[in-house]
Amino acid sequence: MNPVALEGLLILGKTGLIIGGGCMATLGSIWAICAGAINFFQRKDRRDALMPLYEAGTITTKPTVFNAYSNDL
């Protein structure tokens, strides 16, 4: 293989690596934001379901988004 063709393939490979890494980081960030939002709203719904039990005195720990799935409730 001649040096010009090898140089072209190296440049093409490096460019593909840079673009692929950027796409991976972008899609990973989008996935993480979506997963975090879904988790937050699921926990919020669970907290809203537990709040009447707290107000009635059935459970003693006030439900929050952070402890919605805790075994303490």
Side-chain angles (χ1 to χ4, degrees):
M1 187 176 276
N2 63 12
V4 175
L6 189 59
E7 181 83 19
L9 287 174
L10 286 174
I11 291 172
L12 188 62
K14 289 177 186 178
T15 305
L17 185 66
I18 291 170
I19 292 172
C23 288
M24 186 174 62
T26 302
L27 291 176
S29 297
I30 291 171
W31 180 85
I33 290 168
C34 290
I38 290 169
N39 187 17
F40 173 79
F41 286 111
Q42 284 178 340
R43 286 177 171 271
K44 186 176 178 305
D45 291 344
R46 170 89 170 137
R47 183 206 52 149
D48 292 342
L50 290 172
M51 194 56 89
L53 295 175
Y54 172 73
E55 291 170 351
T58 307
I59 57 175
T60 57
T61 304
K62 184 174 183 178
T64 65
V65 173
F66 298 112
N67 70 356
Y69 287 103
S70 172
N71 290 332
D72 296 337
L73 297 179

Coordinates of all heavy atoms in Angstrom, one line a residue:
M1 N 0.9 -1.2 0.0 CA 0.0 0.0 0.0 C 0.9 1.2 0.0 O 1.9 1.3 0.8 CB -0.9 0.0 1.2 CG -2.0 1.0 1.2 SD -3.1 0.9 2.6 CE -4.2 -0.3 2.0
N2 N 0.6 2.2 -0.8 CA 1.4 3.4 -0.9 C 1.2 4.3 0.3 O 0.1 4.3 0.9 CB 1.2 4.1 -2.3 CG -0.2 4.6 -2.5 OD1 -0.9 4.6 -1.5 ND2 -0.5 5.0 -3.7
P3 N 2.1 5.2 0.6 CA 2.0 6.0 1.7 C 0.8 7.0 1.7 O 0.3 7.4 2.7 CB 3.3 6.8 1.7 CG 4.3 6.0 0.9 CD 3.4 5.2 -0.1
V4 N 0.5 7.4 0.5 CA -0.7 8.4 0.4 C -2.0 7.7 0.8 O -2.8 8.3 1.5 CB -0.7 9.0 -1.1 CG1 -1.9 9.9 -1.2 CG2 0.6 9.7 -1.4
A5 N -2.2 6.5 0.3 CA -3.4 5.8 0.7 C -3.4 5.5 2.2 O -4.5 5.6 2.8 CB -3.5 4.5 -0.1
L6 N -2.3 5.1 2.7 CA -2.2 4.8 4.2 C -2.5 6.1 5.0 O -3.2 6.0 6.0 CB -0.8 4.3 4.5 CG -0.6 3.8 5.9 CD1 -1.6 2.6 6.2 CD2 0.8 3.3 6.1
E7 N -2.0 7.2 4.6 CA -2.2 8.5 5.2 C -3.7 8.8 5.2 O -4.3 9.3 6.2 CB -1.4 9.6 4.6 CG -1.6 11.0 5.2 CD -0.7 11.2 6.4 OE1 0.3 10.4 6.5 OE2 -1.0 12.1 7.2
G8 N -4.3 8.6 4.0 CA -5.8 8.9 3.9 C -6.6 8.0 4.8 O -7.6 8.5 5.4
L9 N -6.2 6.7 4.9 CA -7.0 5.8 5.8 C -6.8 6.2 7.3 O -7.8 6.1 8.1 CB -6.5 4.4 5.6 CG -7.0 3.7 4.3 CD1 -6.4 2.4 4.1 CD2 -8.5 3.6 4.2
L10 N -5.6 6.7 7.6 CA -5.4 7.1 9.0 C -6.3 8.3 9.3 O -6.8 8.4 10.4 CB -3.9 7.4 9.3 CG -3.0 6.2 9.4 CD1 -1.6 6.6 9.4 CD2 -3.4 5.4 10.6
I11 N -6.3 9.3 8.4 CA -7.1 10.5 8.6 C -8.6 10.1 8.7 O -9.3 10.6 9.6 CB -6.8 11.5 7.5 CG1 -5.4 12.1 7.7 CG2 -7.8 12.6 7.5 CD1 -5.0 13.0 6.5
L12 N -9.0 9.2 7.8 CA -10.4 8.8 7.8 C -10.8 8.1 9.1 O -11.8 8.3 9.7 CB -10.7 7.9 6.6 CG -12.1 7.5 6.4 CD1 -13.0 8.7 6.1 CD2 -12.2 6.5 5.2
G13 N -9.8 7.2 9.6 CA -10.1 6.5 10.9 C -10.1 7.5 12.1 O -11.0 7.3 12.9
K14 N -9.2 8.4 12.1 CA -9.2 9.4 13.2 C -10.5 10.2 13.2 O -11.1 10.5 14.3 CB -8.0 10.3 13.1 CG -6.7 9.6 13.5 CD -5.5 10.5 13.3 CE -4.2 9.8 13.5 NZ -3.0 10.7 13.2
T15 N -10.9 10.7 12.0 CA -12.1 11.4 11.9 C -13.3 10.6 12.4 O -14.2 11.1 13.1 CB -12.3 11.9 10.5 OG1 -11.2 12.6 10.0 CG2 -13.5 12.8 10.3
G16 N -13.4 9.4 12.0 CA -14.5 8.5 12.4 C -14.5 8.3 13.9 O -15.5 8.3 14.5
L17 N -13.3 8.2 14.5 CA -13.2 8.0 15.9 C -13.7 9.3 16.7 O -14.4 9.2 17.7 CB -11.7 7.7 16.3 CG -11.5 7.4 17.8 CD1 -12.1 6.1 18.1 CD2 -10.0 7.3 18.0
I18 N -13.3 10.4 16.2 CA -13.7 11.7 16.8 C -15.2 11.9 16.7 O -15.9 12.2 17.7 CB -13.0 12.9 16.2 CG1 -11.5 12.8 16.6 CG2 -13.6 14.2 16.6 CD1 -10.6 13.8 15.8
I19 N -15.8 11.6 15.5 CA -17.2 11.8 15.3 C -18.0 10.7 16.1 O -19.0 11.0 16.8 CB -17.6 11.7 13.8 CG1 -17.0 12.9 13.1 CG2 -19.1 11.6 13.6 CD1 -17.2 12.9 11.6
G20 N -17.5 9.5 16.1 CA -18.1 8.4 16.9 C -18.1 8.7 18.4 O -19.1 8.5 19.1
G21 N -17.0 9.2 18.9 CA -16.9 9.6 20.3 C -17.9 10.7 20.7 O -18.5 10.7 21.7
G22 N -18.0 11.7 19.8 CA -18.9 12.8 20.1 C -20.4 12.3 20.1 O -21.2 12.7 20.9
C23 N -20.7 11.4 19.1 CA -22.1 10.9 19.1 C -22.4 10.0 20.3 O -23.5 10.1 20.9 CB -22.3 10.0 17.8 SG -22.4 11.0 16.3
M24 N -21.4 9.3 20.7 CA -21.6 8.4 21.9 C -21.8 9.3 23.2 O -22.7 9.0 24.0 CB -20.4 7.5 22.1 CG -20.5 6.5 23.2 SD -19.2 5.4 23.3 CE -17.8 6.4 23.7
A25 N -21.0 10.3 23.3 CA -21.2 11.2 24.5 C -22.5 11.9 24.4 O -23.2 12.0 25.5 CB -20.0 12.2 24.5
T26 N -22.9 12.4 23.3 CA -24.2 13.1 23.1 C -25.4 12.2 23.4 O -26.3 12.5 24.2 CB -24.4 13.7 21.7 OG1 -23.3 14.6 21.5 CG2 -25.7 14.4 21.6
L27 N -25.4 11.0 22.8 CA -26.5 10.1 23.0 C -26.5 9.5 24.5 O -27.6 9.3 25.1 CB -26.4 8.9 22.0 CG -26.7 9.3 20.6 CD1 -26.5 8.1 19.7 CD2 -28.1 9.8 20.5
G28 N -25.3 9.4 25.1 CA -25.2 8.9 26.5 C -25.8 10.0 27.4 O -26.5 9.7 28.3
S29 N -25.5 11.2 27.1 CA -26.1 12.3 27.9 C -27.6 12.4 27.8 O -28.3 12.6 28.8 CB -25.5 13.7 27.5 OG -24.1 13.7 27.7
I30 N -28.1 12.3 26.6 CA -29.6 12.3 26.4 C -30.2 11.1 27.1 O -31.2 11.3 27.8 CB -29.9 12.3 24.9 CG1 -29.5 13.6 24.2 CG2 -31.4 12.0 24.6 CD1 -29.5 13.6 22.7
W31 N -29.6 10.0 27.0 CA -30.2 8.8 27.7 C -30.2 9.0 29.2 O -31.2 8.7 29.9 CB -29.3 7.5 27.4 CG -29.9 6.3 28.0 CD1 -30.8 5.5 27.6 CD2 -29.4 5.8 29.3 NE1 -31.0 4.5 28.5 CE2 -30.2 4.6 29.5 CE3 -28.4 6.2 30.2 CZ2 -30.0 3.9 30.7 CZ3 -28.3 5.4 31.3 CH2 -29.0 4.3 31.6
A32 N -29.1 9.6 29.8 CA -29.0 9.8 31.2 C -30.1 10.8 31.7 O -30.7 10.6 32.7 CB -27.6 10.2 31.6
I33 N -30.3 11.8 30.9 CA -31.3 12.9 31.3 C -32.7 12.2 31.3 O -33.5 12.5 32.2 CB -31.2 14.1 30.3 CG1 -29.9 14.8 30.6 CG2 -32.4 15.0 30.5 CD1 -29.5 15.9 29.6
C34 N -33.0 11.5 30.2 CA -34.3 10.8 30.1 C -34.5 9.8 31.3 O -35.6 9.8 31.9 CB -34.5 10.2 28.8 SG -34.6 11.3 27.4
A35 N -33.5 9.0 31.5 CA -33.6 8.0 32.6 C -33.8 8.7 34.0 O -34.6 8.3 34.8 CB -32.4 7.1 32.6
G36 N -33.1 9.8 34.2 CA -33.2 10.5 35.5 C -34.6 11.2 35.6 O -35.2 11.1 36.7
A37 N -35.1 11.7 34.5 CA -36.5 12.3 34.6 C -37.5 11.3 34.8 O -38.4 11.5 35.6 CB -36.7 13.1 33.3
I38 N -37.4 10.1 34.2 CA -38.4 9.0 34.4 C -38.3 8.6 35.8 O -39.4 8.4 36.5 CB -38.2 7.9 33.4 CG1 -38.5 8.3 32.0 CG2 -38.9 6.6 33.8 CD1 -38.1 7.4 30.9
N39 N -37.1 8.4 36.4 CA -37.0 7.9 37.7 C -37.6 8.9 38.7 O -38.3 8.6 39.7 CB -35.5 7.7 38.0 CG -35.3 7.1 39.4 OD1 -36.2 6.5 40.0 ND2 -34.0 7.2 39.9
F40 N -37.3 10.2 38.5 CA -37.8 11.3 39.4 C -39.4 11.2 39.4 O -40.0 11.3 40.5 CB -37.4 12.6 38.9 CG -38.0 13.8 39.7 CD1 -37.5 14.1 40.9 CD2 -39.0 14.5 39.1 CE1 -38.1 15.1 41.7 CE2 -39.6 15.5 39.8 CZ -39.2 15.8 41.1
F41 N -40.0 11.2 38.2 CA -41.5 11.2 38.2 C -42.1 9.9 38.7 O -43.2 10.0 39.4 CB -42.0 11.5 36.8 CG -41.7 13.0 36.4 CD1 -40.8 13.3 35.5 CD2 -42.4 14.0 37.1 CE1 -40.6 14.7 35.1 CE2 -42.2 15.3 36.8 CZ -41.3 15.7 35.8
Q42 N -41.4 8.8 38.6 CA -41.9 7.6 39.2 C -41.9 7.7 40.7 O -42.8 7.3 41.4 CB -41.1 6.4 38.7 CG -41.5 5.9 37.4 CD -40.6 4.7 36.9 OE1 -39.6 4.5 37.5 NE2 -41.1 4.1 35.9
R43 N -40.8 8.2 41.2 CA -40.7 8.4 42.7 C -41.6 9.4 43.2 O -42.2 9.3 44.3 CB -39.2 8.8 43.0 CG -38.3 7.6 42.9 CD -36.8 8.1 43.3 NE -36.0 7.0 43.4 CZ -35.7 6.3 44.5 NH1 -36.3 6.7 45.6 NH2 -34.9 5.3 44.5
K44 N -41.9 10.5 42.4 CA -42.8 11.5 42.8 C -44.2 10.9 42.9 O -45.0 11.2 43.8 CB -42.8 12.7 41.8 CG -43.6 13.9 42.2 CD -43.4 15.0 41.2 CE -44.3 16.2 41.5 NZ -45.7 15.9 41.7
D45 N -44.6 10.1 41.9 CA -45.9 9.5 42.0 C -46.0 8.6 43.2 O -47.1 8.5 43.8 CB -46.2 8.7 40.7 CG -46.3 9.5 39.5 OD1 -46.6 10.8 39.6 OD2 -46.2 9.0 38.3
R46 N -45.0 7.8 43.5 CA -45.0 6.9 44.7 C -45.1 7.7 46.0 O -45.8 7.4 46.9 CB -43.7 6.1 44.7 CG -43.5 5.3 45.9 CD -44.1 4.0 45.9 NE -43.6 3.2 47.0 CZ -44.4 2.4 47.7 NH1 -45.6 2.3 47.4 NH2 -43.9 1.8 48.8
R47 N -44.4 8.9 46.0 CA -44.5 9.7 47.2 C -45.9 10.3 47.3 O -46.5 10.3 48.4 CB -43.5 10.9 47.1 CG -43.5 11.8 48.3 CD -43.1 13.2 48.0 NE -43.9 13.7 46.9 CZ -44.2 15.0 46.8 NH1 -43.8 15.8 47.7 NH2 -44.8 15.4 45.8
D48 N -46.5 10.7 46.2 CA -47.9 11.2 46.3 C -48.9 10.1 46.7 O -49.9 10.4 47.4 CB -48.3 11.7 44.9 CG -47.5 13.0 44.5 OD1 -46.9 13.6 45.4 OD2 -47.5 13.3 43.3
A49 N -48.6 8.9 46.4 CA -49.5 7.8 46.9 C -49.3 7.5 48.3 O -50.2 7.0 49.0 CB -49.2 6.5 46.0
L50 N -48.1 7.7 48.9 CA -47.8 7.4 50.3 C -48.2 8.6 51.2 O -48.4 8.4 52.4 CB -46.3 7.1 50.5 CG -45.8 5.8 49.9 CD1 -44.3 5.8 50.0 CD2 -46.4 4.7 50.7
M51 N -48.3 9.8 50.7 CA -48.6 11.0 51.5 C -49.9 10.8 52.3 O -49.9 11.2 53.5 CB -48.6 12.2 50.7 CG -48.6 13.5 51.5 SD -47.2 13.6 52.6 CE -46.0 14.3 51.6
P52 N -51.0 10.3 51.7 CA -52.2 10.1 52.6 C -52.0 9.2 53.8 O -52.6 9.4 54.8 CB -53.2 9.5 51.6 CG -52.8 10.0 50.2 CD -51.3 10.0 50.3
L53 N -51.1 8.1 53.6 CA -50.8 7.3 54.7 C -50.1 8.0 55.8 O -50.3 7.8 57.0 CB -50.0 6.1 54.2 CG -50.7 5.1 53.3 CD1 -49.8 4.1 52.8 CD2 -51.9 4.5 53.9
Y54 N -49.2 8.9 55.4 CA -48.4 9.7 56.4 C -49.4 10.6 57.1 O -49.3 10.8 58.4 CB -47.3 10.5 55.7 CG -46.6 11.4 56.6 CD1 -45.7 11.0 57.6 CD2 -46.8 12.8 56.5 CE1 -45.1 11.9 58.4 CE2 -46.2 13.7 57.3 CZ -45.3 13.3 58.2 OH -44.7 14.1 59.1
E55 N -50.3 11.3 56.4 CA -51.2 12.2 57.0 C -52.2 11.5 57.9 O -52.6 12.1 58.9 CB -51.9 13.0 55.9 CG -51.0 14.0 55.2 CD -51.6 14.6 54.0 OE1 -52.7 14.2 53.6 OE2 -50.9 15.5 53.4
A56 N -52.5 10.3 57.6 CA -53.4 9.5 58.5 C -52.7 8.9 59.7 O -53.4 8.5 60.6 CB -54.1 8.4 57.7
G57 N -51.4 8.9 59.7 CA -50.7 8.4 60.8 C -50.3 6.9 60.7 O -49.8 6.3 61.7
T58 N -50.6 6.3 59.6 CA -50.3 4.9 59.4 C -48.8 4.7 59.3 O -48.3 3.7 59.8 CB -50.9 4.4 58.1 OG1 -52.3 4.7 58.2 CG2 -50.8 2.9 57.9
I59 N -48.1 5.6 58.6 CA -46.6 5.5 58.6 C -46.0 6.8 59.3 O -46.7 7.8 59.3 CB -46.1 5.4 57.1 CG1 -46.6 6.6 56.3 CG2 -46.5 4.1 56.5 CD1 -46.0 6.6 54.9
T60 N -44.9 6.6 59.9 CA -44.3 7.7 60.7 C -43.3 8.6 59.9 O -43.0 9.7 60.3 CB -43.7 7.2 62.0 OG1 -42.7 6.3 61.6 CG2 -44.8 6.6 62.8
T61 N -42.7 8.0 58.9 CA -41.7 8.7 58.1 C -42.3 9.5 57.0 O -43.1 8.9 56.2 CB -40.6 7.7 57.6 OG1 -40.1 7.0 58.6 CG2 -39.5 8.5 56.9
K62 N -42.0 10.8 56.9 CA -42.6 11.6 55.8 C -42.0 11.1 54.5 O -40.8 11.2 54.3 CB -42.4 13.0 56.1 CG -43.1 13.9 55.1 CD -42.9 15.4 55.4 CE -43.7 16.2 54.4 NZ -43.7 17.6 54.6
P63 N -42.9 10.8 53.5 CA -42.4 10.3 52.2 C -41.8 11.5 51.4 O -42.5 12.6 51.4 CB -43.6 9.7 51.5 CG -44.8 10.1 52.3 CD -44.3 10.6 53.6
T64 N -40.6 11.3 50.9 CA -40.0 12.3 50.0 C -39.7 11.6 48.7 O -39.8 10.4 48.6 CB -38.8 13.0 50.6 OG1 -37.8 12.0 50.8 CG2 -39.1 13.6 52.0
V65 N -39.2 12.3 47.7 CA -38.8 11.7 46.5 C -37.6 10.8 46.7 O -37.4 9.8 46.1 CB -38.4 12.8 45.5 CG1 -37.8 12.2 44.2 CG2 -39.6 13.6 45.1
F66 N -36.7 11.1 47.7 CA -35.5 10.4 48.0 C -35.8 9.1 48.7 O -35.0 8.1 48.6 CB -34.5 11.2 48.7 CG -34.1 12.4 48.0 CD1 -34.4 13.7 48.4 CD2 -33.3 12.3 46.8 CE1 -34.0 14.8 47.7 CE2 -32.9 13.4 46.1 CZ -33.3 14.7 46.5
N67 N -36.8 9.0 49.5 CA -37.1 7.8 50.3 C -38.4 7.1 49.9 O -38.9 6.3 50.6 CB -37.0 8.0 51.8 CG -38.2 8.9 52.3 OD1 -39.1 9.3 51.5 ND2 -38.3 9.1 53.5
A68 N -38.9 7.4 48.7 CA -40.1 6.8 48.3 C -40.1 5.3 48.2 O -41.2 4.7 48.4 CB -40.5 7.4 46.9
Y69 N -39.0 4.7 47.9 CA -39.0 3.2 47.8 C -38.2 2.6 48.9 O -37.7 1.5 48.9 CB -38.3 2.8 46.4 CG -39.3 3.0 45.3 CD1 -39.2 4.1 44.4 CD2 -40.4 2.2 45.1 CE1 -40.0 4.3 43.4 CE2 -41.3 2.4 44.0 CZ -41.1 3.5 43.2 OH -42.0 3.7 42.2
S70 N -38.0 3.3 50.0 CA -37.3 2.8 51.2 C -38.1 1.8 51.9 O -39.3 1.9 51.9 CB -36.9 4.0 52.1 OG -36.4 3.6 53.3
N71 N -37.5 0.9 52.6 CA -38.2 -0.1 53.4 C -38.6 0.5 54.7 O -39.4 -0.2 55.5 CB -37.3 -1.3 53.7 CG -37.0 -2.1 52.4 OD1 -37.9 -2.1 51.5 ND2 -35.9 -2.8 52.3
D72 N -38.2 1.7 55.1 CA -38.6 2.3 56.3 C -40.0 2.8 56.3 O -40.6 3.1 57.4 CB -37.7 3.5 56.6 CG -36.2 3.0 56.9 OD1 -36.0 1.9 57.2 OD2 -35.3 3.9 56.7
L73 N -40.6 3.0 55.1 CA -42.0 3.5 55.1 C -43.0 2.5 55.3 O -43.1 1.4 54.9 CB -42.2 4.2 53.7 CG -41.2 5.4 53.5 CD1 -41.5 6.0 52.1 CD2 -41.5 6.5 54.5

